[in-house]
Amino acid sequence: MERESGASEAAPAEAALFAWGANSYGQLGLGHKEDVLLPQQLNDFWKPECVRRITGGGGHSAIVTGEGGLFVCGLNKDGQLGLGHTEDVLYFTTCRSLLGCPVQQVACGWDFTIILTENGQVLSCGSNSFGQLGVPHGPRRCVVPQAIELLREKVVCIAAGLRHALAATGMEKSKATCVLAGSDHSASLTETGKVFTWGRADYGQLGRTLESHEGWKPQSHDSALPCSGPQKSMPSCLRCLTGAAEVSCGSEHNLAVIGGTCYSWGWNEHGMCGDGSEANIWAPKPVPSLRSSPGLLVGCGAGHSLALCQLPALPALGQRPKVTGPSPDATESAESLEAMDRERWKERKPETSTQSLTSPEMGGGAGS
C-alpha cells in the first residue's frame, strides 16, 4: 500500500497492535494478568507495522515480523515460548535462539509451538506429552525449538490443534488458501474469499446454526479443561464472511477480516470477542471499537485475541497544530527504541527475559 509523498497530503496511517480477552498468563503482552474485555493497544511492541503473522495457543501468543523475527509471550510452563526456560513472560519477547534463522510461520497449540522457517524447515518446542512435537521417543518437553527431522520434504504450511500438529508439503492444486483448527471446530479460507466452518457449535463458534441432520447435540462444558469428544458437522460456507482476507480460530471463538473490518464470533466468557461483554456471539459481527481502525491481520489464542490494525491517518502537514518542539521524553524514547532495534538483531546468544515472572500452575478455563 505504498503512496507517493506530497507536502499537502495527509501523513501515512500507522499500524498498531491490539489485544483482548483472557490474560491469566500475560498472553496479551500488556505486562499484567488481568482479562481485557475491549481491544487494547500494545504501545510498547517493536515496530507493529512490520508484523506479518499473529497467532496464539492455550495461554501463549506468537508474532512473526516481516524480517522473520519471532516474538512470544504468555504461559511458558512447558517451554512453549522456546526461550530456554519455563517462566511466564508478560511482554512480547524475541526468541533469541532463532535469530539468524528467519521464520515464515508459527502455529500455537494448547501447550506447544510449531515453527516453519523460510527455508522450509519445521521446529517445535513445548509439551510433548502426546507426541505433538513430532519427535519420536523424545523428552516430555522441550524449552528450545528443535528440528523435526522426519519431515524430509520442504514444508509450505503448518497448523496446530489442541494436542496435534499438521504440516503440508504442497498445496498447488488446492483451492483452499489455509485451514485452521480450534479445540473442536475447524475453518478454511478459499482463494475466492469464502469461509467454511465445521465441528462443535455449542458456543456459536461455527457462526451458524447447525441443521438437525448434522448430528450435533449440546454437551456440558467444563471450563477448566479443553473441549473433548468427537462431533459431527459438515463444512458449510458462511455467506456473511464472503470476501474475507484473514481468518483465525481460537479454542471456541474466531476472528476474520473483511474489507478492513474485524469480525468476531463464538465463545466470549473472557471477552475475547471484543464487544465489551462476556456473552457468546452466535453470528459474526464487527468488533465495535475497531471500526475506525481497518484490520490487517488477526490471530486467536484459546481464549484471547490479537489484531494488527491501521490507525486513522494523521492530518495533512499544513493542517497540523504548531508545537514548540519535541518532548524530551518522546525524543529519548525514540532514540532508545532505535538503539534496541539495532542491538536486538545483532545478538545471537539465548537470554532469559528480564520481563518474566515465575510460572503459576496451570488452572482456569481454556486459554484463561
Side-chain angles (χ1 to χ4, degrees):
M1 296 186 294
E2 296 182 357
R3 298 174 56 189
E4 295 182 0
S5 60
S8 61
E9 281 188 341
E14 297 181 354
L17 189 63
F18 292 83
W20 64 97
N23 193 35
S24 295
Y25 307 104
Q27 59 262 49
L28 298 186
L30 295 170
H32 61 78
K33 294 186 176 183
E34 300 296 326
D35 288 2
V36 177
L37 301 186
L38 292 171
Q40 183 170 336
Q41 185 173 338
L42 280 78
N43 294 317
D44 296 330
F45 186 76
W46 178 76
K47 290 187 177 182
E49 67 275 9
C50 294
V51 172
R52 184 170 68 183
R53 292 180 183 270
I54 308 172
T55 191
H60 65 298
S61 303
I63 288 175
V64 178
T65 68
E67 297 176 342
L70 176 62
F71 287 78
V72 292
C73 70
L75 182 63
N76 196 31
K77 181 174 180 288
D78 290 293
Q80 53 262 57
L81 300 187
L83 300 176
H85 60 78
T86 56
E87 297 177 339
D88 292 356
V89 176
L90 304 187
Y91 296 90
F92 277 103
T93 302
T94 186
C95 187
R96 296 184 182 277
S97 62
L98 293 176
L99 290 177
C101 184
V103 174
Q104 177 179 320
Q105 185 189 355
V106 61
C108 297
W110 181 255
D111 50 11
F112 67 101
T113 303
I114 306 296
I115 300 160
L116 174 63
T117 67
E118 290 188 352
N119 64 8
Q121 187 179 40
V122 181
L123 304 98
S124 61
C125 58
S127 173
N128 195 35
S129 298
F130 296 84
Q132 59 265 53
L133 298 188
V135 183
H137 312 296
R140 189 188 69 81
R141 69 182 183 188
C142 179
V143 298
V144 176
Q146 60 181 344
I148 301 178
E149 301 295 346
L150 294 178
L151 296 173
R152 304 185 186 282
E153 299 181 47
K154 182 176 180 180
V155 174
V156 297
C157 182
I158 56 174
L162 183 66
R163 290 190 173 98
H164 68 287
L166 304 171
T169 57
M171 299 177 66
E172 294 82 358
K173 297 181 180 180
S174 174
K175 293 184 178 181
T177 58
C178 69
V179 63
L180 309 110
S183 179
D184 284 292
H185 78 288
S186 301
S188 67
L189 176 63
T190 71
E191 59 188 3
T192 58
K194 292 183 179 181
V195 178
F196 290 79
T197 61
W198 63 97
R200 189 166 181 156
D202 53 340
Y203 291 91
Q205 56 264 52
L206 298 188
R208 58 188 174 88
T209 301
L210 288 183
E211 301 295 335
S212 59
H213 69 270
E214 292 185 88
W216 164 249
K217 293 182 180 180
Q219 296 182 352
S220 60
H221 176 63
D222 181 355
S223 62
L225 296 171
C227 290
S228 62
Q231 306 299 336
K232 296 179 181 178
S233 177
M234 298 295 293
S236 183
C237 181
L238 286 176
R239 299 189 183 280
C240 61
L241 293 181
T242 298
E246 277 276 312
V247 180
S248 184
C249 292
S251 180
E252 285 112 0
H253 79 289
N254 313 270
L255 295 175
V257 177
I258 308 174
T261 299
C262 287
Y263 286 77
S264 65
W265 69 99
W267 185 39
N268 198 27
E269 181 181 346
H270 299 279
M272 56 278 248
C273 289
D275 66 343
S277 78
E278 294 178 296
N280 298 336
I281 297 177
W282 297 87
K285 71 176 185 178
V287 179
S289 60
L290 295 182
R291 282 183 176 273
S292 61
S293 302
L296 303 173
L297 295 171
V298 290
C300 293
H304 64 287
S305 304
L306 296 161
L308 180 70
C309 298
Q310 193 171 33
L311 296 178
L314 296 174
L317 295 177
Q319 300 175 0
R320 295 181 184 177
K322 294 182 179 180
V323 294
T324 56
S327 164
D329 292 340
T331 302
E332 181 178 354
S333 176
E335 292 176 349
S336 298
L337 285 174
E338 290 178 359
M340 289 174 62
D341 293 345
R342 290 194 298 269
E343 294 300 323
R344 183 167 304 201
W345 299 101
K346 290 180 182 179
E347 300 178 11
R348 294 293 184 271
K349 182 180 179 182
E351 180 180 321
T352 300
S353 170
T354 58
Q355 297 170 325
S356 61
L357 301 176
T358 302
S359 170
E361 292 300 316
M362 175 78 78
S368 61

